């Protein structure tokens, strides 16, 4: 009997030992591609064998409702380039303090905060807005790579720019905002009118923009660097230019309030923010911009250092515009420049041709460059509230209707566009252009 009890005791102790040694799961919700997450999963588990990552994939618009469930979907860590989700969940007490050492990680870069004031979420990497270029096609056009937004007005680029349509491509509204902040409301919209007139509107995201440039159909594509990274790493004929007036989209990491594996979650956060994790983000197959400045000292000289660029004023853009403002400026673009795009492009072609002949077309330029509302009107609380309501309904594209206040506003903007373009056509015709 004693031998039996001893055997059972040994068996129980052995089972308990095996159970204690079993790696503990850490659930990470992300929108990053599987290839990248596999690299991080392997590296993290080598350094932390007591944990095993369980990866859940959700795009930004799906992640928010998922994390708003009662148990936050069982998620321990959220890691994604969706700043709005982190802000909105922070407002609803969705995060707990990170509880990790942030030494060596700046609080800001240029006009952008890299963590919230309570250190509940922290930026891990940055994506830069700018220009994908095809050097061979630019050489054929006899022009250098564009270095800033006004360079896109070069007549040689007519029809050779791939511009993501802000009304259809999720990251594109920020592009509008970068230019409006950098150059002011009036000059910024004048730039956008002429740039749009030079471009072909692309109705799908950054990957398609990159394809347009790689194929040579476009010499320049307005995009985000990470959409171009895979093409660069594959040796495609494409490069990325960070403009003098640029913008950055930070990716953040946070630990959910309902996290079941808090210590494992903190271990993963520490790893991502560590020199090892930050260096992995700069791997040629991933090509992110790390948020730990010291990492750049060991990267190739040509690797873009946003902290060095920020010291020279490149990233003054503050990414704190409300979702209502971004929705408003997107609608201004769509009603004024996007929907009548073919007519707009034809008018700007006539303007450029006339100016090449030495004609003074300042009056026509003014007609094509004046937006339907001024900056003060765009800041109206009542107007922004209308766009907030539309955002809550998912910003579905519906035909403008005079049955609601927002629809009547859109129709007024359409009328402004039609009237200004008709007047521009009459002026050009009277000048024989």
């Amino acid at each position: 009997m004693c031998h039996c009890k001893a055997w059972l005791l040994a068996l129980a102790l052995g089972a308990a030992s095996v159970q204690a040694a079993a790696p503990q799961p850490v659930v990470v919700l992300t929108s990053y591609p599987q290839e990248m997450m596999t690299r991080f999963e392997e590296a993290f588990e080598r350094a932390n064998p007591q944990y095993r990552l369980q990866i859940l994939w959700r795009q930004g618009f799906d992640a928010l409702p998922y994390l708003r469930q009662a148990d936050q979907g069982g998620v321990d860590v959220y890691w994604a380039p969706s700043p709005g989700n982190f802000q909105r969940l922070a407002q609803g007490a969705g995060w707990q303090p990170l509880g990790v050492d942030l030494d060596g990680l700046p609080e800001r870069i240029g006009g952008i905060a890299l963590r919230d004031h309570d250190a509940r979420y922290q930026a891990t990497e940055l994506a830069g807005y700018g220009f994908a270029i095809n050097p061979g096609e630019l050489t054929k056009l006899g022009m250098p790579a564009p270095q800033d937004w006004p360079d896109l007005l070069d007549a040689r680029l007519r029809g050779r720019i791939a511009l993501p349509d802000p009304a259809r491509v999720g990251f594109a509204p920020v592009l509008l905002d970068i230019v409006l902040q950098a150059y002011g409301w009036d000059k910024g919209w004048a730039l956008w009118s002429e740039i749009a007139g030079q471009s072909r509107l692309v109705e799908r995201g950054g990957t398609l923009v990159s394809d347009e440039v790689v194929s040579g159909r476009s010499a320049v594509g307005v995009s985000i660097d990470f959409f171009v990274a895979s093409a660069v790493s594959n040796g495609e004929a494409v490069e990325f230019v960070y403009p003098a007036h640029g913008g950055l989209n930070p990716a953040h990491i946070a630990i959910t309030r309902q996290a079941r594996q808090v210590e494992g979650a903190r271990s993963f956060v520490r790893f991502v923010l560590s020199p090892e994790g930050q260096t992995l983000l700069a791997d040629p197959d991933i090509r992110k911009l790390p948020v730990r400045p010291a990492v750049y000292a060991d990267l190739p000289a040509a690797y873009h250092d946003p902290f060095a660029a920020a010291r020279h004023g490149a990233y003054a853009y503050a990414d704190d515009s409300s979702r209502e403002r971004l929705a408003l400026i997107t609608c201004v673009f769509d009603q004024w420049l996007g929907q009548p795009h073919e007519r707009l492009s034809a008018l700007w072609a006539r303007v450029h041709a006339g100016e090449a002949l030495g004609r003074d077309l300042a009056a026509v330029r003014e007609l094509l460059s004046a937006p339907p509302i001024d900056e003060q009107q765009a800041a109206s609380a009542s107007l922004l509230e209308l766009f907030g309501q539309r955002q809550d309904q998912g910003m579905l594209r519906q035909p403008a209707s005079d049955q609601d206040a927002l629809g009547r506003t859109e129709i007024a903007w359409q009328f402004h566009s039609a009237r200004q373009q008709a007047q521009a056509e009459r002026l050009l015709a009277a000048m024989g252009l």
Side-chain angles (χ1 to χ4, degrees):
M1 187 71 176
C2 291
H3 289 296
C4 180
K5 286 183 178 179
W7 178 81
L8 288 173
L9 179 61
L11 182 63
L13 289 173
S17 176
V18 170
Q19 184 176 9
Q24 299 299 300
V26 179
V27 181
V28 178
L29 181 68
T30 187
S31 59
Y32 284 122
Q34 182 174 356
E35 295 81 3
M36 172 179 157
M37 290 307 299
T38 298
R39 297 284 300 278
F40 270 87
E41 184 178 15
E42 293 171 349
F44 169 72
E45 291 175 1
R46 280 197 304 271
N48 300 270
Q50 69 273 36
Y51 299 115
R52 286 290 180 270
L53 295 188
Q54 294 182 359
I55 312 296
L56 301 177
W57 277 275
R58 293 288 188 281
Q59 292 301 317
F61 56 85
D62 287 329
L64 188 60
Y66 193 87
L67 289 166
R68 281 179 164 170
Q69 299 177 81
D71 64 347
Q72 295 187 280
V75 171
D76 297 311
V77 178
Y78 180 44
W79 185 28
S82 300
N85 284 353
F86 288 88
Q87 295 164 7
R88 295 173 76 178
L89 283 159
Q91 293 168 2
W95 311 127
Q96 59 179 283
L98 285 172
V100 303
D101 184 5
L102 300 177
D103 187 46
L105 300 167
E107 293 185 15
R108 304 187 66 84
I109 179 171
I112 299 174
L114 295 180
R115 69 178 72 118
D116 78 318
H117 57 83
D118 294 320
R120 292 167 296 181
Y121 55 89
Q122 162 71 41
T124 61
E125 53 98 350
L126 304 161
Y129 295 91
F131 313 138
I133 64 167
N134 185 315
E137 293 301 315
L138 288 174
T139 298
K140 292 177 186 176
L141 295 173
M143 62 176 297
Q147 300 300 311
D148 208 0
W149 300 94
D151 295 342
L152 301 183
L153 306 183
D154 191 306
R156 290 170 289 185
L157 285 174
R158 168 159 298 281
R160 302 300 306 280
I161 302 171
L163 178 66
D165 185 344
R168 294 174 173 85
V169 178
F171 69 83
V174 173
L175 294 168
L176 299 179
D177 203 33
I178 289 170
V179 173
L180 294 177
Q181 278 197 30
Y183 294 95
W185 186 264
D186 293 331
K187 186 176 179 181
W189 277 121
L191 275 170
W192 274 122
S193 175
E194 195 166 356
I195 291 171
Q198 287 270 88
S199 305
R200 293 182 298 107
L201 294 184
V202 175
E203 297 186 359
R204 289 192 287 123
T207 303
L208 184 58
V209 171
S210 300
D211 290 344
E212 288 286 307
V213 176
V214 168
S215 69
R217 289 188 295 271
S218 296
V220 177
V222 182
S223 189
I224 303 180
D225 55 7
F226 67 75
F227 286 119
V228 183
S230 60
V232 172
S233 64
N234 290 332
E236 301 282 5
V238 62
E239 297 175 5
F240 196 84
V241 174
Y242 296 91
H245 293 87
L248 295 167
N249 183 62
H252 296 97
I253 197 165
I255 300 173
T256 63
R257 185 185 70 253
Q258 301 289 343
R260 299 169 186 169
Q261 182 51 263
V262 176
E263 287 309 311
R266 286 182 176 150
S267 293
F268 183 66
V269 171
R270 286 191 195 98
F271 178 79
V272 171
L273 296 173
S274 70
E276 182 183 356
Q278 291 284 288
T279 300
L280 182 54
L281 282 167
D283 184 272
D285 291 332
I286 299 176
R287 299 186 69 88
K288 305 291 186 182
L289 300 177
V291 296
R292 186 175 286 277
V295 168
Y296 290 91
D298 297 322
L299 297 182
Y303 205 99
H304 181 65
D305 181 347
F307 294 95
R311 289 193 290 271
H312 295 91
Y315 292 115
Y317 173 68
D319 65 340
D320 56 359
S321 290
S322 68
R323 64 193 184 108
E324 291 84 2
R325 172 186 160 88
L326 292 176
L328 182 148
I329 62 177
T330 298
C331 190
V332 169
F333 183 97
D334 188 40
Q335 307 298 331
W336 174 41
L337 307 174
Q339 293 190 34
H341 182 253
E342 186 175 345
R343 188 181 189 186
L344 178 76
S345 295
L347 282 165
W348 276 114
R350 291 166 70 181
V351 169
H352 294 158
E355 289 177 338
L357 297 173
R359 309 294 289 274
D360 180 2
L361 297 177
V364 179
R365 279 186 165 273
E366 184 175 352
L367 287 168
L368 296 180
S369 300
I373 56 172
D374 61 30
E375 190 168 16
Q376 184 176 357
Q377 292 169 325
S380 162
S382 59
L383 186 58
L384 289 170
E385 184 180 358
L386 293 177
F387 282 97
Q389 294 170 5
R390 174 179 284 182
Q391 283 252 322
D392 291 339
Q393 297 167 5
M395 284 300 288
L396 295 175
R397 287 176 54 83
Q398 299 288 347
S401 168
D402 61 4
Q403 299 303 303
D404 62 83
L406 188 50
R408 288 190 291 273
T409 297
E410 291 174 320
I411 290 171
W413 293 351
Q414 292 173 11
F415 180 75
H416 167 91
S417 178
R419 183 184 62 231
Q420 299 293 93
Q421 291 182 5
Q423 291 179 11
E425 286 171 337
R426 286 194 291 270
L427 280 177
L428 288 166
M431 299 174 72
L433 297 172

